[in-house]
Amino acid sequence: MRTHIALDEDWPPLATGAKATVQLYPIDNPIFYALAAMQSRVISVLRYLY
C-alpha cells in the first residue's frame, strides 16, 4: 500500500527513490536480531554516502 503526500515545496534534485525504510527486528532470536541490526546500520551508512 502506497501513500502519496503532496508537499508545498519540491524535494532537492538528489532526493530520489524511497524516502523511508522499515526494519523489523525479531525479538525471539538473538542471532536474527543481530543480523537485522547490522543490516540496518549498513544500509544507513550506504544511504548517507550516496
Side-chain angles (χ1 to χ4, degrees):
M1 177 182 290
R2 293 180 178 244
T3 302
H4 297 279
I5 300 172
L7 302 175
D8 293 334
E9 299 177 11
D10 291 335
W11 284 89
L14 293 177
T16 60
K19 305 295 184 242
T21 301
V22 175
Q23 178 72 44
L24 302 177
Y25 287 92
I27 58 173
D28 58 344
N29 190 324
I31 294 172
F32 287 145
Y33 183 90
L35 289 173
M38 184 176 63
Q39 178 190 30
S40 179
R41 288 186 181 103
V42 168
I43 296 299
S44 177
V45 168
L46 290 176
R47 290 202 176 173
Y48 174 76
L49 294 174
Y50 172 69

